[in-house]
Amino acid sequence: MKTKEEYAPMIALYREWNERINVVSRKDIDSLYEHHILHSLAIAEYIDRFHPGGFDGASILDLGTGGGFPGIPLATEFPQAQFTLCDSIGKKVKVAQAVADGLGLQNVRTVNARAESLPETFDWVVSRAVTTLETFYPWVKGKFRRGILYLKGGDINAEISELVRKCKVDPAKIRTWRVDEWLKDEYFAEKFVIEIGKDYLCPPVFEN
């Protein structure tokens, strides 16, 4: 995984664009690497641990990308994967595209649209806490071949229970992983990667 120094150009681009279009809160911009880039890369760490090679040549939808998280850091780490960054707010997509262009990322395309309007399917869907799981899941049901990787914090067990109840998701296809197993920082203490597999089981279940 790239070092903080290697992410300096990305940080600089976000600082520049955030002055024009606010996609990261002003008080959080100084913690962009720790709170946004590293948090996004928890998905990369998860893939490396549980699905080695799982992003190789894969197509990945980042839904609700905002200014490009988690998609742009992930696209930086996985140049052989193809990322579609989708958001319904045009000005945020503009920032994501500008940052991708500034970094010369050839494996990123941005789409200003709602999930329901996307015609294609993807290997994976990734996202960072855009809404509750039971709301998010119907947006992407039928749009992925392998699974969903969702960054979420707080009382995830209650949310997973609602997902299982309302969306009829098999709980054996859900795995949770604590981000602070990798990032030993209080900020990540209650943050998780939640995987929802499509056609395979994800033991152990509710690993938290």
Side-chain angles (χ1 to χ4, degrees), residues 55-170:
F55 275 7
D56 292 351
S59 60
I60 299 154
L61 170 65
D62 174 8
L63 184 61
T65 189
F69 299 105
I72 287 181
L74 291 174
T76 302
E77 295 289 339
F78 296 100
Q80 302 307 314
Q82 297 298 314
F83 288 81
T84 297
L85 277 53
C86 179
D87 202 282
S88 61
I89 300 175
K91 64 180 182 180
K92 293 183 176 181
V93 172
K94 180 180 179 180
V95 174
Q97 185 66 62
V99 173
D101 290 345
L103 295 171
L105 295 176
Q106 300 298 307
N107 60 333
V108 170
R109 70 168 178 137
T110 59
V111 180
N112 178 202
R114 302 187 69 84
E116 300 90 327
S117 69
L118 295 176
E120 64 262 67
T121 58
F122 303 84
D123 293 310
W124 298 92
V125 173
V126 301
S127 193
R128 189 168 73 141
V130 294
T131 185
T132 60
L133 284 168
E134 69 268 21
T135 300
F136 184 83
Y137 185 80
W139 294 350
V140 297
K141 185 180 180 182
K143 294 190 183 298
F144 62 93
R145 290 180 286 269
R146 294 203 61 186
I148 299 169
L149 298 171
Y150 201 74
L151 291 166
K152 189 73 175 177
D155 184 5
I156 62 167
N157 283 334
E159 208 164 298
I160 288 170
S161 294
E162 283 298 287
L163 172 71
V164 169
R165 184 178 70 85
K166 290 183 178 180
C167 302
K168 311 302 181 188
V169 175
D170 182 352

Side-chain angles (χ1 to χ4, degrees), residues 34-78:
E34 291 79 8
H35 292 179
H36 298 274
I37 294 174
L38 269 184
H39 190 204
S40 298
L41 294 178
I43 289 177
E45 180 67 16
Y46 181 90
I47 281 288
D48 286 346
R49 290 188 183 208
F50 297 104
H51 298 284
F55 275 7
D56 292 351
S59 60
I60 299 154
L61 170 65
D62 174 8
L63 184 61
T65 189
F69 299 105
I72 287 181
L74 291 174
T76 302
E77 295 289 339
F78 296 100

Side-chain angles (χ1 to χ4, degrees), residues 46 50 133 154-165 169-178 181 192-197 201-208:
Y46 181 90
F50 297 104
L133 284 168
D155 184 5
I156 62 167
N157 283 334
E159 208 164 298
I160 288 170
S161 294
E162 283 298 287
L163 172 71
V164 169
R165 184 178 70 85
V169 175
D170 182 352
K173 295 181 180 179
I174 303 170
R175 173 197 275 146
T176 70
W177 176 68
R178 301 185 69 101
E181 287 187 19
F192 300 82
V193 175
I194 301 171
E195 178 183 1
I196 305 168
L201 304 185
C202 301
V205 178
F206 298 174
E207 182 189 290
N208 62 333

